[in-house]
């Protein structure tokens, strides 16, 4: 019988056998290398040949000795190895361990004092319990905390009359609030024009836009203006037009604050995170820069601006890096005296309207400080606009958390809002008689009123600030502040709530609230650029 020719292997089989051969060769080489290094399984290293093996042996014995199980010696205890006493002892220990484990896992039904159950961290002091604030931090939209019933239950006649008056302010009905989009982006600053003849509201937003809304307009006047401007037939006109709103791009970043000149209401001074102060002249229809760092690459965001009512050419401004500056509008735009009043952010400051040499600052360092600008200590740095000179620190008060803003009224009182969920009012009597260099003790710096108020705005709502009515017609000092439940709260300087303004169509928190200087008008702006107005 003829022999068959061998079957030719496929390419796959050839590759498989080649891989097997390569693997066998690699394993043999590894075995040879291991044998040469003295690591082979069949060889036992001699103690005299390798110094490393001599060093490893004691370490291995030491580890074994430490890892030996800890047992109670029956021999040392005088017990026989297999005696009944030893068995009972082992059983008792086992039962005790089981009971202890059962107790640890058993539910505790009675009350617990946190100071007795602390397992990590510092000891618990219920007097410093920050968790209390968390109860009020959640916003409850449209849930009132002050209303008609509180007004009716007021026994003081004067207070009741004032509450009825302020609670009687009605939401502007010319246009719905969600249709009055005064700025394209989130509102950071807002104010009335000082004229008492009609409500003109200005608002600055996150992107440097300044919006203007005339609340004296009606839908009828808007329709007629639209017909004239667009040259369209009356039959084609919109029966429900949007309000006429004008906005200007004055800055490249957030307009954090602005103020009208006390001597010329056509002049509006704006401060921005783009590090500049600008003057908007409404009559001349132009905006000019009046202060900015000489080096354009410097980033020195401004958080506030105020004019000296006695010297209208002098402007004060605050920066987010803890500095406060003073500049003269008649000097070069890069000229300013700058004082470092805090190591952390200054969120807001205010001059006393009656005695503008007194300055109040609110800072991220949790303090409200009172300064006297009449006396400066230190020396000026000739090479820099910054100064080592500082105003006299009259006194300071520290809150539990950061203080967002400080605002003076004409009676010498300061209102602050802070993240410890309080609004505080500080009363400083007879400031006109204070001599330069006057110092206040801790008791004199304590707040005269403390109001519980939810100030937890979070990331998407502008920080709440208490803002006074500058010149109230009835001389009753009062301020307004936004409410996280979509209202605006109004309080007296004694901490008595007068009203909680709300209404239909308010779909966001009216965080940036402001009084008209003299009239009982209140405006507030939201994070969506919408305007709410009560008159």
């Amino acid at each position: 019988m003829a022999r068959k020719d061998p079957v030719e292997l496929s390419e796959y089989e050839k590759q498989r056998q080649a891989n097997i051969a390569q693997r066998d060769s690699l394993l043999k080489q590894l075995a040879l290398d291991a044998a040469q290094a003295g690591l082979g399984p069949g060889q036992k290293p001699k103690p005299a040949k390798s110094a490393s093996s001599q060093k490893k042996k004691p370490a291995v014995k030491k580890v074994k000795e430490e890892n030996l199980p800890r047992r109670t010696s029956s021999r040392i205890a005088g017990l026989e190895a297999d005696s009944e006493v030893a068995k009972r002892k082992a059983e008792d220990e086992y039962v005790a361990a089981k009971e202890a484990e059962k107790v640890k896992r058993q539910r505790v039904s009675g009350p617990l004092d946190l100071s007795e159950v602390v397992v990590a961290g510092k000891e618990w002091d219920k007097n410093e319990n920050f968790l209390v604030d968390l109860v009020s931090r959640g916003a409850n939209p449209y849930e009132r905390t002050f209303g008609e019933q509180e007004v009716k239950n007021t026994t003081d006649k004067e207070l009741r009359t004032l509450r009825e008056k302020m609670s009687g302010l009605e939401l502007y009905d010319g246009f719905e609030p969600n249709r009055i989009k005064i700025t394209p982006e989130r509102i950071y600053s807002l104010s009335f024009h000082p004229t008492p003849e009609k409500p003109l509201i200005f608002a600055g937003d996150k992107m440097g836009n300044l919006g203007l809304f005339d609340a004296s307009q009606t839908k009828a006047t808007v329709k007629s203006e639209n017909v004239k401007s667009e040259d369209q037939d009356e039959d084609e006109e919109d029966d429900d037009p949007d309000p006429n709103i004008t906005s200007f791009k004055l800055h490249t970043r957030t307009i954090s604050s602005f103020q009208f000149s006390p001597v010329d209401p056509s002049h509006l001074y704006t401060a921005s995170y783009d590090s500049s102060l600008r003057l908007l002249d409404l009559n001349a229809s132009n905006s000019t820069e009046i202060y900015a760092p000489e080096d354009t690459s410097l980033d020195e965001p401004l958080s506030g601006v105020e004019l000296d009512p006695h010297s209208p050419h002098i402007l004060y401004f605050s920066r987010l890096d803890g500095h406060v500056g003073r500049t003269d509008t008649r000097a070069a735009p890069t000229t300013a005296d700058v004082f470092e009043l805090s190591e952390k952010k200054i969120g807001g400051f205010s001059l006393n309207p009656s005695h503008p040499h007194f300055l109040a600052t609110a800072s991220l360092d949790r303090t409200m400080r009172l300064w006297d600008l009449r006396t400066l200590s230190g020396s000026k740095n000739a090479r820099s606009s910054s100064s080592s000179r500082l105003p006299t620190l009259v006194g300071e008060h520290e809150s539990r958390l950061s203080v967002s803003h400080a605002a003076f009224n004409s009676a010498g009182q300061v209102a602050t809002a802070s993240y410890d969920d309080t609004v505080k009012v500080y009363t400083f009597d007879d400031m006109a008689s204070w001599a330069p260099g006057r110092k206040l003790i801790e008791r004199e710096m304590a707040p005269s009123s403390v109001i519980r108020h939810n100030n937890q705005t979070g990331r998407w709502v502008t920080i709440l600030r208490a803002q006074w009515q500058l010149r109230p017609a009835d001389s009753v000092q009062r301020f307004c502040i936004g409410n996280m439940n979509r209202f605006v709260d109004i309080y007296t300087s004694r901490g008595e709530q007068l009203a909680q303004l709300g209404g239909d169509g308010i779909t966001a928190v009216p965080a940036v609230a402001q009084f008209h200087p003299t009239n009982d008008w209140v405006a507030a702006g939201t994070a969506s650029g919408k305007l709410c107005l009560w008159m």
Side-chain angles (χ1 to χ4, degrees):
M1 184 175 180
R3 295 179 65 182
K4 294 183 180 180
D5 297 333
V7 179
E8 184 178 357
L9 298 177
S10 64
E11 291 296 329
Y12 171 77
E13 186 63 23
K14 290 178 181 179
Q15 184 64 41
R16 189 177 71 84
Q17 292 185 6
N19 291 340
I20 292 173
Q22 184 180 4
R23 183 194 63 188
D24 292 342
S25 175
L26 179 62
L27 291 175
K28 289 179 181 179
Q29 184 63 38
L30 291 174
L32 291 174
D33 294 342
Q36 292 176 359
L39 302 175
Q43 298 181 1
K44 295 182 179 180
K46 296 180 180 181
K49 290 183 178 180
S50 176
S52 62
S53 61
Q54 292 178 354
K55 293 179 181 180
K56 290 181 180 178
K57 284 182 178 179
V60 172
K61 290 180 180 179
K62 185 177 180 180
V63 172
K64 288 181 179 179
E65 289 177 1
E66 289 182 354
N67 289 335
L68 289 174
R70 297 178 180 178
R71 298 180 298 175
T72 302
S73 173
S74 297
R75 180 181 60 80
I76 295 176
L79 302 175
E80 296 182 4
D82 296 329
S83 69
E84 291 297 324
V85 177
K87 290 181 180 180
R88 279 198 302 272
K89 179 185 176 184
E91 290 176 358
D92 292 343
E93 290 177 352
Y94 176 76
V95 171
K98 293 285 287 183
E99 285 295 326
E101 185 66 23
K102 183 178 179 181
V103 171
K104 287 170 61 176
R105 298 170 61 89
Q106 189 173 3
R107 182 183 72 252
V108 178
S109 300
L112 295 175
D113 190 330
L114 294 186
S115 61
E116 298 175 357
V117 293
V118 174
V119 294
K122 67 177 184 178
E123 295 183 358
W124 183 261
D125 185 354
K126 65 181 180 180
N127 294 324
E128 298 180 1
N129 182 6
F130 64 92
L131 297 176
V132 173
D133 298 334
L134 295 178
V135 177
S136 61
R137 288 188 178 182
N140 300 304
Y142 309 114
E143 180 179 315
R144 285 188 174 273
T145 56
F146 183 89
E148 294 181 0
Q149 192 60 43
E150 284 74 15
V151 176
K152 291 180 180 178
N153 294 340
T154 305
T155 56
D156 186 283
K157 290 185 178 180
E158 292 184 1
L159 178 59
R160 178 168 180 170
T161 301
L162 190 56
R163 283 179 166 175
E164 290 174 347
K165 176 184 177 182
M166 301 309 300
S167 297
L169 297 181
E170 296 182 355
L171 187 66
Y172 172 70
D173 59 359
F175 298 90
E176 295 179 0
N178 58 7
R179 297 183 63 183
I180 311 176
K181 190 170 177 63
I182 190 171
T183 60
E185 300 292 337
R186 186 210 294 194
I187 296 175
Y188 272 73
S189 52
L190 183 143
S191 183
F192 283 92
H193 188 276
T195 178
E197 298 175 0
K198 62 178 180 179
L200 295 175
I201 301 98
F202 291 74
D205 75 359
K206 181 179 180 180
M207 302 306 294
N209 302 298
L210 182 73
L212 166 61
F213 174 68
D214 182 357
S216 65
Q217 61 182 292
T218 63
K219 291 183 179 180
T221 58
V222 172
K223 285 193 291 185
S224 63
E225 290 177 4
N226 290 344
V227 170
K228 293 178 182 178
S229 61
E230 298 177 8
D231 231 3
Q232 62 182 359
D233 297 335
E234 292 186 3
D235 296 337
E236 299 177 1
E237 69 183 27
D238 188 0
D239 291 333
D240 192 16
D242 289 327
N244 288 332
I245 295 173
T246 305
S247 60
F248 313 96
K249 180 74 171 179
L250 299 184
H251 293 271
T252 57
R253 294 172 64 185
T254 303
I255 298 178
S256 56
S257 177
F258 60 85
Q259 187 180 31
F260 285 94
S261 168
V263 295
D264 189 348
S266 67
H267 286 182
L268 176 64
Y269 295 89
T270 59
S272 172
Y273 285 1
D274 66 8
S275 308
S276 70
L277 289 172
R278 300 189 70 89
L279 166 61
L280 173 63
D281 190 330
L282 299 176
N283 289 336
S285 298
N286 60 30
S287 173
T288 56
E289 185 176 271
I290 58 174
Y291 171 77
E294 186 174 3
D295 186 352
T296 56
S297 64
L298 287 178
D299 186 23
E300 298 176 345
L302 307 183
S303 60
V305 61
E306 281 209 18
L307 283 83
D308 186 332
H310 295 174
S311 302
H313 293 290
I314 303 298
L315 267 73
Y316 290 84
F317 58 87
S318 59
R319 299 196 322 218
L320 295 185
D321 60 1
H323 291 71
V324 169
R326 177 174 60 189
T327 184
D328 192 323
T329 58
R330 298 165 295 185
T334 58
T335 305
D337 291 324
V338 180
F339 315 108
E340 185 178 3
L341 302 186
S342 175
E343 294 181 355
K344 295 186 178 181
K345 167 186 173 182
I346 290 181
F349 79 101
S350 180
L351 299 173
N352 186 327
S354 303
H355 311 286
H357 48 267
F358 290 114
L359 171 77
T361 59
S363 175
L364 189 63
D365 64 7
R366 304 182 298 169
T367 63
M368 188 285 292
R369 291 191 174 103
L370 187 62
W371 305 86
D372 189 344
L373 299 167
R374 290 176 293 181
T375 54
L376 301 178
S377 59
S379 59
K380 182 174 177 58
N381 187 348
R383 297 183 179 181
S384 172
S385 61
S386 297
S387 175
S388 59
R389 297 183 300 169
L390 291 178
T392 300
L393 178 61
V394 178
E396 69 177 19
H397 179 265
E398 184 173 327
S399 296
R400 192 169 56 80
L401 295 175
S402 64
V403 186
S404 305
H405 183 63
F408 255 117
N409 65 10
S410 57
Q413 296 172 306
V414 177
T416 65
S418 56
Y419 270 91
D420 60 5
D421 284 340
T422 62
V423 175
K424 302 181 182 71
V425 178
Y426 303 82
T427 301
F428 304 110
D429 296 323
D430 199 20
M431 297 183 75
S433 64
W434 290 6
R438 168 80 180 269
K439 300 282 187 178
L440 298 183
I441 61 176
E442 182 178 353
R443 176 178 55 81
E444 294 174 307
M445 285 298 300
S448 56
S449 300
V450 179
I451 306 165
R452 297 293 300 177
H453 194 272
N454 181 11
N455 298 326
Q456 305 303 317
T457 54
R459 181 179 179 183
W460 306 111
V461 178
T462 305
I463 293 173
L464 304 182
R465 297 182 173 189
Q467 301 285 11
W468 297 96
Q469 187 173 21
L470 295 182
R471 297 179 297 277
D474 55 10
S475 300
V476 177
Q477 299 295 335
R478 47 182 171 263
F479 65 86
C480 61
I481 184 172
N483 184 303
M484 290 300 293
N485 291 357
R486 301 181 185 176
F487 299 99
V488 170
D489 294 325
I490 301 177
Y491 296 91
T492 67
S493 59
R494 294 182 294 180
E496 300 161 327
Q497 185 158 6
L498 298 180
Q500 193 167 79
L501 305 178
D504 297 333
I506 301 177
T507 57
V509 177
V512 187
Q514 187 67 265
F515 261 111
H516 184 274
T518 55
N519 293 355
D520 289 332
W521 300 338
V522 178
T526 71
S528 56
K530 307 293 179 62
L531 175 69
C532 308
L533 175 63
W534 294 267
M535 296 188 296

